[in-house]
Amino acid sequence: MRKTTLGAVGAFVIAMAGCEPTLEGTCDDAARALATRVACTPEQVPQYAGQALVNGTCAGAFCHSSTARNGSDPANPDSRHGAPAGLDFDLEHASTPAERERLRAHRADLVDERADIYGLVASGEMPPRGLPGFDPVSAPQGTFADDGAELPTLDTAEGRALLRAWLLCGAPVAERTTDAPALPGAPAGDALDPTLCGVRDAGFDALYEGVIRGSCAIDGCHGGTPPTGMLSLPPDDADAAYAALVGVGAMGAACTDAPRTRVVPGDPAGSLLIQKLEGDGTPDGAACGSRMPLGGPYLPPATIEAFRAWIADGAPR
């Protein structure tokens, strides 16, 4: 098992903060029910709620992730927000043996360091707030699959209770969906029913609320004030997001080699949005620039198909 230095760092930070919140209790029936509650990530991927919350807030290509980047520093897109290299909690689904081992190792680190992780979160030391360019705490983390309620964030009592139950019960993770082929060898997690999540309504409002707000219109990506030329998708204005997508030519330097339009009503294949969501078959690549969401996890085929259906129908508002 990989061994991190979080224990020593966490103990020092908590001691300096003057409080020592502890992870106490057992994985009783109430904790297990919360730990195994299924959530839909902003990309509409089914995961256990604690898995989705940690992956979206702590990893999610921002801090504790092998693909972490500093969205506030365009000149150095691969820089991390202070998390030590190797201290990663990437909990996305696995589709290759290497990805399965990544999931297994990162889950093991979480369980091994769970007392210090909970202590840092409960004391308010983690996750950090106020970093320039992004705020992973307040970004939408997804919804519960059973009732559609938004996942609580880690700066709330409800979010900390969810994290506590999940850690007490061994940090259960979903490795894949049941429609994905099983990988050889012992699984690192469970397989969840893909129909638990997914945007089935091809209307723009459903796509905006179900996907764009949580996966695209966030600080450090297309929300806030992105760099000049980058697509701007306000997190609280569906009309403005629609106006920025439909019939608008691409402005990013990587996508101006040929005339490209973000959304071409009636033509999904000719729409840059679909090209960016589907990728070009190379790792992280697209027709121009990078596949989106940047760094993954990428949208499941059913969700991309909902975007395709909306565009094929003329991209109505």
Side-chain angles (χ1 to χ4, degrees):
M1 180 189 301
R2 297 183 305 131
K3 186 67 177 177
T4 71
T5 59
L6 181 58
V9 174
F12 173 76
V13 171
I14 293 172
M16 292 297 289
C19 60
E20 297 183 0
T22 58
L23 182 64
E24 297 178 341
T26 60
C27 183
D28 55 22
D29 290 344
R32 188 176 302 280
L34 186 54
T36 57
R37 195 174 176 187
V38 176
C40 300
T41 71
E43 298 80 23
Q44 299 303 302
V45 175
Q47 294 183 340
Y48 291 118
Q51 175 186 7
L53 190 56
V54 168
N55 193 62
T57 305
C58 307
F62 289 117
C63 290
H64 295 280
S65 171
S66 58
T67 59
R69 65 192 187 282
N70 186 339
S72 65
D73 184 6
N76 188 15
D78 296 324
S79 63
R80 294 168 70 105
H81 277 290
L87 187 56
D88 298 327
F89 302 140
D90 295 300
L91 301 177
E92 294 95 347
H93 287 191
S95 58
T96 67
E99 290 175 352
R100 168 186 271 177
E101 290 313 305
R102 173 264 302 161
L103 179 61
R104 191 191 310 278
H106 290 193
R107 178 192 181 188
D109 282 346
L110 278 159
V111 173
D112 193 42
E113 304 285 0
R114 59 185 177 179
D116 292 302
I117 291 170
Y118 179 76
L120 287 168
V121 172
S123 68
E125 295 297 325
M126 289 290 168
R129 301 300 301 268
L131 293 175
F134 84 116
D135 182 1
V137 180
S138 62
Q141 300 300 328
T143 59
F144 287 108
D146 51 9
D147 62 7
E150 289 191 4
L151 287 181
T153 53
L154 284 177
D155 59 345
T156 66
E158 293 81 2
R160 291 189 291 271
L162 172 58
L163 176 67
R164 173 184 172 277
W166 183 69
L167 291 173
L168 282 174
C169 292
V173 296
E175 175 184 298
R176 62 185 179 89
T177 53
T178 53
D179 63 344
L183 296 170
D190 302 320
L192 297 180
D193 182 353
T195 63
L196 293 171
C197 302
V199 177
R200 298 172 180 83
D201 183 349
F204 181 77
D205 286 344
L207 294 169
Y208 177 80
E209 290 296 331
V211 182
I212 293 173
R213 286 190 65 225
S215 297
C216 314
I218 56 178
D219 287 344
C221 295
H222 295 287
T225 306
T228 301
M230 181 183 284
L231 170 64
S232 176
L233 296 171
D236 54 1
D237 192 336
D239 290 334
Y242 179 88
L245 286 168
V246 179
V248 178
M251 294 183 290
C255 296
T256 55
D257 57 325
R260 301 175 189 271
T261 301
R262 292 167 178 166
V263 171
V264 182
D267 184 7
S271 297
L272 180 60
L273 174 64
I274 298 299
Q275 297 165 14
K276 299 283 272 187
L277 293 179
E278 290 186 332
D280 63 0
T282 62
D284 303 324
C288 59
S290 301
R291 188 178 179 185
M292 294 293 162
L294 186 62
Y298 303 118
L299 300 184
T303 302
I304 297 176
E305 185 57 34
F307 277 95
R308 278 186 161 275
W310 166 64
I311 295 173
D313 193 40
R317 181 69 182 89

